Amino acid sequence: MRVLLTGGAGYIGAHTAIALLEAGHDVLIVDDMSGTSPEAVARVEQITGTTVPLLVADVRDRQALTDFLRRNAPVDAVIHLAGLKAVGESMAEPVRYYDVNLGSSITLLEVMAAEGIRTIVFSSSATVYGTPEQLPLTEESPTGIDLANPYGKTKRIIEEILSDAAAADPDLRAISLRYFNPVGAHPSGLIGEDPHGIPNNLMPFVSRVAIGSLPEVAVFGTDYDTPDGTGQRDYIHVTDLAAGHVAALEQATPGYDVYNLGTGEPVSVLELIAAFERASGREIPKRLAPRRPGDVAATYGDPSKAGRELGWATRLTIDDACRDYWNWQSRNPRGYAGA
Ligand code: UDP
């Protein structure tokens, strides 16, 4: 298949591009580079020995997107990863989040319809489950748009738009992938996460502490009702996550469907820090701190539906993710900017 990746230069996008190319698909990328760098695409090309057509544009730019698709026709499918993704920022700038995330999805669906592209895989998030009532989360677990932050709401609303679009068009194949916590990096050390400024998420933060650019990690909450009192999450290696996109694309059938992409294994904050210390061989200074507002004690997913229907399973562990993240971080201490 020839596949358009929106946001294909980002952390998950670049890994997905590699997975698609290695599975024999063709890839083209549209990315506005707001959260990443063209260097990521250059490295995808280096790893795969392939040239990847790249459009640097906002997905809401209908004309640019249409021209790009026509220049590269026929395009068979879209994997839609473009969007703003910082939870805290979405609370400070909700209107921008709705504008960018919903606007790009709607423009994309309209352009796909006009160009006869009938398959879309969407980058959703386990955030759509809100505070879990029962663990592990399955695709039947309750979701809502009364979520704590606009970022999660945009994911939930886009899922609804896809479901409605598929109900109205018997040829449309639409899949939402609900990611748990992506971590790790490509084993080559050439591609990885490159957050701007001080990271919000745990593994990039811990990695910056290990490399010495941040002094210590604050452990947000030590009195949760979990085995060691710290928060538990389902950390999925980004190359496993990327493989999930390829499986979804290859197995997509007409209609709308949703899949959890996670490991099903809860890992605590202290366990992750210990795993990173083993992987990096460095001690990671930590400070026990109060709970971060809005955090849940534990969340992890049941990935068995993706196993049954997509033939997909995770292969890599938290130790693999720490090893690969550290390999990327230590080779690229300043991320793509150091290239
Ligand atoms: N966390 C932490 N210190 C940090 C960042 C995160 O203790 O500097 C904890 C956080 O409270 C949560 C877990 O690490 O229990 C994962 O947080 P992250 O922001 O990576 O993901 P999310 O909360 O969105 O699942």
Side-chain angles (χ1 to χ4, degrees):
M1 275 186 262
R2 183 171 295 175
V3 188
L4 173 72
L5 292 189
T6 76
Y11 174 43
I12 297 165
H15 289 87
T16 301
I18 293 168
L20 286 165
L21 290 163
E22 286 178 346
H25 299 290
D26 291 330
V27 167
L28 44 147
I29 288 174
V30 54
D31 199 305
D32 70 356
M33 301 297 162
S34 58
T36 183
S37 153
E39 179 63 20
V41 179
R43 294 192 181 185
V44 169
E45 293 181 324
Q46 183 185 339
I47 290 166
T48 60
T50 319
T51 302
V52 176
L54 169 66
L55 171 68
V56 178
D58 189 310
V59 175
R60 291 170 297 172
D61 185 341
R62 182 184 308 262
Q63 194 59 54
L65 187 61
T66 301
D67 292 346
F68 185 58
L69 287 170
R70 289 187 182 165
R71 276 201 305 281
N72 291 284
V75 172
D76 305 294
V78 173
I79 298 182
H80 179 36
L81 307 123
L84 299 174
K85 60 174 187 175
V87 171
E89 188 181 66
S90 80
M91 295 171 87
E93 299 175 70
V95 178
R96 186 161 78 94
Y97 268 67
Y98 287 112
D99 185 12
V100 171
N101 290 4
L102 301 185
S104 60
S105 302
I106 291 165
T107 302
L108 180 65
L109 284 166
E110 288 172 347
V111 170
M112 283 175 60
E115 301 306 311
I117 304 170
R118 313 311 302 132
T119 302
I120 180 166
V121 173
F122 170 59
S123 151
S124 188
S125 167
T127 302
V128 301
Y129 294 117
T131 303
E133 286 171 11
Q134 234 185 335
L135 290 170
L137 291 159
T138 73
E139 290 80 356
E140 278 72 49
S141 298
T143 56
I145 60 166
D146 56 338
L147 301 164
N149 60 79
Y151 161 75
K153 291 183 194 178
T154 66
K155 293 292 180 192
R156 186 73 193 101
I157 294 166
I158 296 162
E159 287 195 0
E160 291 296 337
I161 293 171
L162 289 173
S163 170
D164 290 346
D169 175 354
D171 295 329
L172 191 65
R173 299 156 189 254
I175 290 179
S176 292
L177 299 178
R178 292 179 178 157
Y179 309 157
F180 283 78
N181 292 53
V183 289
H186 192 264
S188 65
L190 289 168
I191 299 278
E193 189 174 17
D194 187 20
H196 294 167
I198 295 175
N200 292 310
N201 295 118
L202 183 60
M203 191 173 290
F205 199 102
V206 166
S207 183
R208 294 273 176 94
V209 175
I211 200 83
S213 61
L214 290 169
E216 62 178 10
V217 57
V219 177
F220 294 145
T222 53
D223 58 351
Y224 284 114
D225 184 16
T226 58
D228 67 14
T230 67
Q232 293 178 310
R233 296 290 184 273
D234 183 341
Y235 297 96
I236 175 171
H237 196 295
V238 66
T239 62
D240 280 335
L241 189 62
H245 292 72
V246 179
L249 192 70
E250 291 177 345
Q251 304 301 324
T253 52
Y256 176 69
D257 225 327
V258 181
Y259 296 95
N260 284 342
L261 295 185
T263 64
E265 301 286 337
V267 170
S268 76
V269 175
L270 293 178
E271 287 169 338
L272 186 146
I273 295 171
F276 212 95
E277 286 183 327
R278 287 194 298 275
S280 63
R282 298 194 176 187
E283 194 192 332
I284 295 169
K286 52 184 180 287
R287 174 173 55 87
L288 306 183
R291 294 181 180 190
R292 182 171 67 177
D295 272 357
V296 298
T299 177
Y300 52 97
D302 174 353
S304 59
K305 183 181 175 196
R308 274 192 315 276
E309 297 185 11
L310 305 179
W312 171 87
T314 57
R315 295 166 193 271
L316 299 168
T317 64
I318 191 71
D319 290 306
D320 296 320
C322 291
R323 177 199 63 218
D324 293 338
Y325 204 104
W326 177 243
N327 183 38
W328 150 255
Q329 179 78 82
S330 46
R331 284 170 184 240
N332 304 270
R334 294 177 50 234
Y336 295 120

